Structure formats: structure tokens, C-alpha cells
Amino acid sequence: MRQRSLIAITAALAAGALTLTACGSRDSGDKDSSGSGGTTVTIGVDAPLTGDLSALGLGIKNSVDLAVNNANKKSYVKGVTFKLEALDDQGQPSSGQQNASKFVADKNVLGVVGPLNSSVAESMQKVFDDAKLVEVSPANTGPSLTQGPDWRTKKVRQYKSYFRTATTDAIQGPFAAQYVFNDAKKKKVFVIDDKKTYGAGLAGTFTDEFKKLGGQVVGTEHINPDTKDFSAVATKVKNSGADVVYYGGEYPQAGPLSKQIKAAGANIPLVGGDGINDATYAKLAGPAATGDLATSVGAPVEKLDSAKQFVSDYKAAGYKEEYAAYGGYSYDSAWAIIEAVKKVVDDNGGKLPSGGRDKVTAAMQNVSFDGVTGKVSFDEYGDATNKQLTVYTVKGGAFAPVKSGTFTG
């Protein structure tokens, strides 16, 4: 999972911005220790910075870092210096909840970008909402996070402090189903998921649309995401007569699963969501992954005119890791927080008021700007108004875009 007019900054400035301390006890942020008389505001990042999903998590962290540094370089919010604080959730809900509590305890934190996983978000939302601390995810796609557990029949906003710049699986699953059935001409699917919030939800919305289009589900299976031996389910896929596999989950499992399905003799494509759309997938799946498909939120950053400065600045900043699938959305998520802080400061005569958290959360609802990923704004549920999606296919050992559009249903 994003964000604007960027200026590449020097390593020295980046280092200086990151040495600012935040040890105050007021919601309005601590006084800037640089002696400029300004205020330091911390933007938190929660993501998997280690472990199997770190390729995505580090891209999120770096992209937020770039947004923070650009805002400071431009003095975008007069009298405010932004600081990054990143915590590692390792893709685990329990760690995410602990991190949420840590961010809440630091009164200088006025907004948090993340997390990557919808299951982690579920563990964090109430902690943030109780503290009126705004959270903007660049990657969560589970519909229930914003629209409630009964979102299919009755949409009810769950937490006023939760927003996201990524579109939801209510759109992504059906979008994939339409491509698989209408464009790829696949009629018999074997559906597999990892039983987690994201994977199971995505598989469910794909299945509903695929069946509505006239497709046949010839088998279903749930896997244990903690294992890498999928030989049993691969055999079931082979014997089912499926001409395509849909997997709801993430690339650490999807790659080996695809490889083992092909090894079992089922030379059919595996299709997944944005959770498998990473270069690591093709490495794990091997040469047989050619032709596998993934959907992802938005359009390819490299092809967006609005993202050219972001791509250039990211490269110039010298980050060791790629910005990955959610880099643009992460930048936009951070910039949305920066815009909300700016609104609060501007409305208070150029100073950050006490009780800053609830005011920043309130301001977020009306944030609107031209970001890396396009127009950034939020609907009444806190969902992104940008509903664009893209289908990718593995070609030459990497995912390449095939078709962009929006779900029509």
C-alpha cells in the first residue's frame, strides 16, 4: 500500500530528523529539542519489520520515513517537526496490540501508519480508538474493519479513528473473479485459504462472485500457515479437475503451495490477492509460477505520473529495501496524517493545541489531497475513495501488470 510533491533530502538531514527525542506528556507534542521553539510530533509505524513478511513491512516503514523527511525539509507544518517511530509486529495480532499500547502511552504520537495484516488491525483498533489516536493503514483490506461484521447486509462504521488508503476485499475478491472467469476463461476453481481474517475474507468474496458469474467451485481447503508442506492439498487439487486455484493468504505460503501443486501434476495457475503480490513469491514458487496471477490495490506506482517524484526520491534516499507493494500507499497514509496535523495547527492560530489527538482524528475525515497513488480521501466508513485495482501475472520471475480497472457489480 501512496503520496505528493516530494524533495529528496540528504542523509545528514534524515539522520538529524530521527535523532529528535519525544519524552513529553502532553497530547500536543513535546517541544523541539533543536532549540527552534517548535513542537515535535511523532508518527508511528506498525508493520512486520522482521520475519516472512518483512519485505512488505520494511517498504511501509521506509516510505513513511520518506514522507516525514520531506515534510520536515519543506517545513510543511510551520512550527512542527515530525519524527518516525517504528515498531515490529511480525505479522502477529498479539504483538500489534502491544505496539498499539506503546504508541498510546507516548503522548507525542498523533497518528500511526499500519498495520499490514487485517488480523493485526483487529487487535489494535479498540486500543487506538479508546485513546482517540488516528490510525491509517496502507494495506488492510478486510471489509469488516470499517463496515462491521455484517457488512454484506448492513454497513456500520466500527471505529472513528481507523482509516485506510487501500481498497477492500469486498471489491478485490470480485474483481479477481471477474478477471479469472471473463478474461482468463477459467470455469472450475479450487479455493484455498489460510483461515486468517484477510485470507478467509478474500477467498469468500472471490467465491461469491465466481459462482454468481457461473463458475464452479470444485473443491475447498484450509491450510495451516505455519507449515510449508502442502502435498496433501496439492493432490486434492490435482484430482479435482480444477483449471485454476484461488488462494486467500500471503506469499510465504502461496509460493510453496503453487510449486507443490505444479509438482503434483496440476499445471494450472494459482491466483491470489495483494498478499502474494511481492517479488519473493516468484522466488518461492520457482519457474513453474509463470502465469500465476495476483490482484493488488491501485495501479502500479511505476506507471503513475503522480508517483514519479516518489519513485525518484525513494531511490535518491538510498533505502536498502524496495518500497514494495504498499510503498505509495504508505507515503500517502503518512501524508494524510501530516495534512490532518496541518489542519489542526492552522485552525488554532499556527500552534498545536492540547488535546491534539482527537482533533487530528476529526480532521482526518475531511483530508483530501493529490497523492502518490492518486486522489486521497475517505468515505463515511474511513475507507479509501480510490477503488482502482490491478491484475498482475508472473512473467520472467516477477509480477508484471496485466489489467487495471475497478470492480463493476
Side-chain angles (χ1 to χ4, degrees):
M1 39 204 152
R2 322 208 154 115
Q3 303 79 335
R4 343 355 323 180
S5 172
L6 315 178
I7 304 176
I9 68 169
T10 65
L13 178 59
L18 293 175
T19 57
L20 292 170
T21 59
C23 56
S25 59
R26 297 183 295 109
D27 280 357
S28 58
D30 202 19
K31 289 296 182 182
D32 186 352
S33 60
S34 67
S36 63
T39 299
T40 297
V41 168
T42 300
I43 295 178
V45 172
D46 177 88
L49 305 179
T50 60
D52 288 344
L53 295 171
S54 60
L56 297 176
L58 290 168
I60 291 172
K61 171 182 173 289
N62 293 343
S63 299
V64 175
D65 181 67
L66 183 61
V68 165
N69 290 336
N70 280 338
N72 289 338
K73 175 67 175 179
K74 296 162 64 177
S75 297
Y76 192 72
V77 182
K78 301 300 183 184
V80 171
T81 298
F82 292 97
K83 172 193 172 186
L84 171 71
E85 179 68 29
L87 297 179
D88 182 11
D89 64 28
Q90 297 183 314
Q92 300 299 318
S94 58
S95 296
Q97 189 172 68
Q98 292 171 8
N99 290 346
S101 296
K102 290 178 182 177
F103 284 131
V104 167
D106 182 351
K107 300 301 182 181
N108 291 320
V109 178
L110 295 191
V112 177
V113 175
L116 170 69
N117 306 82
S118 293
S119 57
V120 176
E122 285 181 328
S123 75
M124 305 175 81
Q125 285 180 303
K126 188 176 187 304
V127 178
F128 285 138
D129 204 62
D130 286 348
K132 296 181 172 58
L133 178 58
V134 74
E135 170 188 16
V136 187
S137 174
N140 295 162
T141 53
S144 63
L145 294 172
T146 48
Q147 299 175 15
D150 300 320
W151 61 269
R152 287 179 174 84
T153 56
K154 184 181 180 181
K155 296 179 175 63
V156 179
R157 185 164 189 176
Q158 301 299 286
Y159 300 102
K160 291 184 178 180
S161 65
Y162 179 86
F163 297 81
R164 53 180 155 198
T165 53
T167 195
T168 77
D169 294 332
I171 299 171
Q172 183 176 196
F175 181 76
Q178 289 187 354
Y179 182 86
V180 169
F181 188 88
N182 295 326
D183 296 74
K185 308 298 183 184
K186 304 297 183 183
K187 310 302 179 184
K188 297 181 179 181
V189 65
F190 196 107
V191 180
I192 306 169
D193 70 66
D194 62 3
K195 298 184 287 187
K196 296 197 290 187
T197 302
Y198 164 73
L202 186 58
T205 59
F206 172 89
T207 298
D208 290 346
E209 181 68 15
F210 193 76
K211 289 166 68 175
K212 186 166 71 172
L213 292 168
Q216 182 182 359
V217 178
V218 297
T220 61
E221 191 64 69
H222 306 289
I223 64 157
N224 179 356
D226 294 326
T227 185
K228 294 294 190 293
D229 181 5
F230 306 117
S231 56
V233 69
T235 299
K236 290 182 180 180
V237 171
K238 170 66 168 62
N239 295 334
S240 71
D243 56 10
V244 65
V245 171
Y246 189 84
Y247 176 66
E250 296 152 330
Y251 66 80
Q253 295 76 35
L257 176 63
S258 175
K259 186 175 184 178
Q260 291 173 47
I261 287 172
K262 270 78 165 180
N267 190 25
I268 58 177
L270 182 144
V271 184
D274 54 323
I276 79 169
N277 184 26
D278 187 83
T280 310
Y281 172 82
K283 296 176 183 177
L284 294 171
T290 298
D292 284 358
L293 299 163
T295 52
S296 194
V297 296
V301 166
E302 297 80 8
K303 295 185 178 296
L304 293 173
D305 287 342
S306 58
K308 287 181 178 179
Q309 192 67 51
F310 166 75
V311 173
S312 175
D313 284 2
Y314 193 96
K315 182 178 180 180
Y319 298 111
K320 294 180 180 179
E321 304 85 11
E322 299 293 330
Y323 48 78
Y326 304 106
Y329 289 95
S330 301
Y331 189 101
D332 282 346
S333 295
W335 205 263
I337 294 172
I338 292 166
E339 289 284 359
V341 172
K342 185 176 188 299
K343 171 66 173 172
V344 171
V345 170
D346 289 349
D347 287 351
N348 193 53
K351 294 182 179 180
L352 193 63
S354 60
R357 282 181 174 172
D358 60 336
K359 291 180 174 61
V360 170
T361 296
M364 184 63 69
Q365 187 62 55
N366 296 314
V367 160
S368 180
F369 62 93
D370 293 324
V372 169
T373 58
K375 188 71 173 181
V376 177
S377 59
F378 306 100
D379 66 15
E380 66 269 33
Y381 303 103
D383 285 328
T385 56
N386 184 344
K387 309 294 186 184
Q388 191 172 37
L389 290 147
T390 299
V391 177
Y392 296 80
T393 188
V394 176
K395 183 179 181 181
F399 277 114
V402 175
K403 181 179 181 179
S404 293
T406 56
F407 167 64
T408 55

